[in-house]
Amino acid sequence: QVQLVDSGGGSVQTGGSLRLSCAASEYTYGTYCMGWFRQAPGKEREGVATIYTSASSTYYADSVKGRFTISRDNDKNTLYLQMNSLKPEDTGIYYCAAGPIAISGGSCLPYPSTYPYWGQGTQVTVSS
């Protein structure tokens, strides 16, 4: 099974940027759906962005469209999430995940239940 290690979280002020990384233990291109999820205190884990093979097969939650970009470096088996114009409501623990290919509307599903493999999580805190 694929193992994931995510990193890159931190504390920033409103409007700042962070880039999260997720290193996979094996080749995932074309084999797994990949995604970033987040969980705020007292809230359920939610899908932020997913990617199948390229930028043309991505999904973004409405709350992050135009601010976040998911991408992958297949040579490095690494998934990224570039987060710009961060807001306090973006605060939470961010997790990368991998799962069997499950596509709807041309992109991987954003539901946590469809992803069996998870990173350990990285904290993102945005202060006002």
Side-chain angles (χ1 to χ4, degrees):
Q1 65 183 41
V2 63
Q3 295 180 330
L4 306 171
V5 178
D6 37 37
S7 61
S11 296
V12 297
Q13 293 188 327
T14 297
S17 297
L18 287 171
R19 189 176 82 153
L20 306 183
S21 299
C22 173
S25 61
E26 62 184 70
Y27 193 70
T28 59
Y29 181 83
T31 307
Y32 293 94
C33 275
M34 303 291 293
W36 287 99
F37 297 77
R38 69 185 179 191
Q39 189 163 17
K43 294 188 177 181
E44 294 186 353
R45 193 170 298 187
E46 63 173 347
V48 173
T50 68
I51 187 168
Y52 178 38
T53 56
S54 68
S56 62
S57 59
T58 55
Y59 158 89
Y60 294 97
D62 288 342
S63 58
V64 307
K65 281 181 182 177
R67 301 188 298 121
F68 290 12
T69 302
I70 188 171
S71 62
R72 59 194 306 164
D73 184 329
N74 298 316
D75 291 336
K76 296 181 178 179
N77 291 341
T78 301
L79 181 73
Y80 301 101
L81 185 68
Q82 178 67 45
M83 305 187 295
N84 299 327
S85 302
L86 283 161
K87 304 175 181 180
E89 51 264 44
D90 295 318
T91 294
I93 301 175
Y94 283 69
Y95 301 88
C96 68
I101 299 169
I103 293 175
S104 178
S107 59
C108 293
L109 296 176
Y111 309 124
S113 61
T114 62
Y115 293 79
Y117 309 116
W118 293 85
Q120 80 283 6
T122 184
Q123 177 71 45
V124 172
T125 303
V126 185
S127 58
S128 58

